[in-house]
Amino acid sequence: MTQEPQDDQSRPISRWAPPASASDVPPAGQSSRDDLVDDERDTAEVPLPGMPGPVVAPPPAADTAPLQPAPPPPPGGSLPGFDGPLAPPPAAPARPDSTKRGRVPGPIWALAAAVAFLLGVLGGYAGGVLEDRDDMSSLAGGGLDPGSIETDAPLEGDDASIVKVAATLLPSTVQIFAEYQGVEDAATGSGFVFDRNGHVVTNNHVVADAAKAKGSIEVVDHKGRRYKAEVVGRSAVYDLAVLDVPEVKELDPASLGSTSRLRIGEGVVAIGSPLGLSSTVTSGIVSALQRPVSTGQTEDDTSYINAVQTDAAINPGNSGGPLVNLVGQVIGVNSAIATAGGGEGGEGGSIGVGFAIPIDQVKVTAAQILKTGKATYPIVGASVDVQAADHNGALISVVEAGSPAAAGGLKDGDRVTKVGDVTVTDGIGMIVAIRAHQPGETVEFTVMRNGARHELKIKLAAQTENLA
């Protein structure tokens, strides 16, 4: 039996669309529905990487020196833009205790304001560019070649439209066919060209069964050309996979944005192959940010994401495709939906509540996979109750001996109410808040114990996924 989504926003309200059954397979010539595969279970908690805030350039400092009086216009001639010299006003009687002040002509004030505005705009743009470069540079040692990644927005802000976003991103978006339970092309999904080295990013659940069975995986570009693909590595924890597709080097990689700059209400476009219908575009807005959701079929699945929520229509087959802002940058990977029913047969579809993995997490996980073939995530070494009915914090059930949690002073029965500066109301909220950090970081945990509040500092350890 499938569990209905819950209305309380602090609890997970999404689940994977179920895998295709025999009765769901469309007639020949049509694509199959997206499959959803349960993967390895892992009970350790894990964090997303930190998301840097936007860099804002300071406004130019104002000149505090007193301005001198403007000289009178030269006699006998006219200044440019004037009919003739202005007659000087009659001299006023001197006041012994008055202070002489010079008036600044209006054109000079206008010029100064224009220069200040221009410097502010250029400073803000430069700050954004520097943030992107710093972000890419920080991933260089992790297997990601900054020179192979595109981050510049392909569209100008005043040139943004859904039509232009679609025209720009469709050539970088692919459809994925993977073997499922021994049947070729039975699992379908979406993906996008990640870099100039022939790598494609998609969801783990799209290719997990094929990867474990060493089955066939193919990608199809927007012109219908098919390419053989192999799995470089995948993460069940973050539900991400990187494919090696040498022939897609001729395709332009999608431009990668930053989740830290997203604002609730801004427009987004979802691109992919819902229900096997290739090159499909839907639009909507960012409905919410940092939404803790479970992306697995079962409650004990440890694939949790700090998701971008959108009302752009996402359906089975969209999994792994890009969620794009209106200047053409990928800001998430479409991964899960909430449904209002439909059961295990797959009849349920979009009800306007979809979830995407933040692109900042995608960049970090992809860099790890490209370097080692595996993904690494942080842990604290404690088990948390993800099914508690109350929302008074995350209830710690077991703290492992010798773990970072034990070293930091966390105890069985503690309730974690904050991780860093993020308020935690339940177990899943705690897991995704931890995943907002990196292994090796020291994070402050606020816990309630016997009615008293305690502040604990815990240094996060690292754990590597070992997937077949």
Side-chain angles (χ1 to χ4, degrees):
M1 296 291 293
T2 20
Q3 186 173 358
E4 293 294 326
Q6 302 175 31
D7 293 332
D8 190 346
Q9 292 185 352
S10 65
R11 300 290 298 161
I13 58 174
S14 69
R15 61 172 177 264
W16 299 117
S21 63
S23 60
D24 292 326
V25 177
Q30 297 185 13
S31 300
S32 305
R33 290 174 176 255
D34 187 14
D35 76 293
L36 298 169
V37 180
D38 281 336
D39 218 311
E40 291 80 356
R41 298 292 186 265
D42 190 316
T43 58
E45 305 85 54
V46 236
L48 296 171
M51 301 179 184
V55 177
V56 180
D63 186 358
T64 57
L67 297 172
Q68 298 299 319
S78 62
L79 295 174
F82 293 88
D83 293 332
L86 298 175
R95 297 181 181 177
D97 52 352
S98 64
T99 302
K100 295 182 179 180
R101 301 185 178 217
R103 296 188 60 193
V104 180
I108 295 181
W109 281 118
L111 178 60
V115 170
F117 173 77
L118 180 60
L119 288 176
V121 171
L122 293 176
Y125 174 77
V129 170
L130 287 174
E131 181 183 349
D132 279 340
R133 288 179 179 173
D134 288 345
D135 186 34
M136 291 295 101
S137 297
S138 67
L139 300 176
L144 192 63
D145 176 13
S148 71
I149 300 297
E150 181 61 57
T151 59
D152 292 339
L155 301 173
E156 297 290 340
D158 57 359
D159 197 33
S161 71
I162 296 172
V163 172
K164 291 184 177 179
V165 170
T168 302
L169 268 295
L170 279 171
S172 302
T173 305
V174 298
Q175 186 175 17
I176 297 175
F177 291 94
E179 183 176 311
Y180 180 65
Q181 295 184 352
V183 180
E184 288 190 5
D185 295 355
T188 67
S190 306
F192 61 93
V193 181
F194 183 70
D195 59 19
R196 296 184 179 86
N197 297 326
H199 296 122
V200 168
V201 164
T202 186
N203 279 145
N204 173 60
H205 75 266
V206 174
V207 298
D209 196 77
K212 288 184 287 187
K214 309 299 182 186
S216 65
I217 302 173
E218 290 186 320
V219 302
V220 183
D221 67 15
H222 67 297
K223 293 184 177 180
R225 296 173 295 193
R226 295 176 74 104
Y227 309 96
K228 292 288 185 182
E230 294 184 359
V231 175
V232 177
R234 56 196 184 91
S235 167
V237 167
Y238 294 117
D239 194 34
L240 290 169
V242 178
L243 307 181
D244 183 29
V245 194
E247 282 109 332
V248 302
K249 289 181 180 178
E250 63 185 79
L251 302 180
D252 290 332
S255 177
L256 307 181
S258 175
T259 314
S260 63
R261 299 182 195 171
L262 283 181
R263 298 294 179 266
I264 295 174
E266 72 173 88
V268 289
V269 177
I271 305 177
S273 305
L275 308 178
L277 303 171
S278 63
S279 301
T280 296
V281 173
T282 57
S283 66
I285 62 169
V286 174
S287 306
L289 294 170
Q290 297 182 336
R291 182 72 80 198
V293 294
S294 167
T295 59
Q297 273 187 290
T298 59
E299 286 296 320
D300 62 347
D301 195 297
T302 59
S303 180
Y304 302 114
I305 57 175
N306 209 15
V308 177
Q309 181 180 324
T310 179
D311 67 348
I314 296 173
N315 287 285
N318 273 121
S319 293
L323 186 68
V324 186
N325 62 22
L326 293 186
V327 292
Q329 294 173 307
V330 179
I331 49 85
V333 175
N334 301 318
S335 300
I337 58 174
T339 63
E344 296 293 338
E347 295 89 351
S350 173
I351 58 171
V353 183
F355 303 95
I357 304 167
I359 193 63
D360 292 344
Q361 178 61 58
V362 176
K363 288 185 280 191
V364 170
T365 301
Q368 294 171 347
I369 289 173
L370 289 172
K371 182 178 182 180
T372 67
K374 300 176 181 178
T376 300
Y377 56 92
I379 61 171
V380 298
S383 298
V384 63
D385 186 355
V386 297
Q387 296 180 328
D390 60 64
H391 303 290
N392 299 320
L395 179 61
I396 302 299
S397 54
V398 177
V399 175
E400 300 173 9
S403 67
L410 197 64
K411 298 182 181 298
D412 296 358
D414 283 350
R415 282 190 180 272
V416 177
T417 57
K418 290 186 75 173
V419 175
D421 58 358
V422 176
T423 299
V424 170
T425 60
D426 57 22
I428 293 177
M430 173 180 161
I431 292 172
V432 298
I434 292 173
R435 289 180 180 177
H437 298 274
Q438 291 284 7
E441 286 188 46
T442 298
V443 181
E444 185 172 86
F445 284 64
T446 302
V447 305
M448 296 300 297
R449 180 187 303 157
N450 299 325
R453 193 174 85 168
H454 300 267
E455 307 292 342
L456 310 176
K457 293 186 181 296
I458 301 176
K459 185 176 181 179
L460 306 178
Q463 181 153 327
T464 300
E465 291 185 80
N466 292 303
L467 302 182

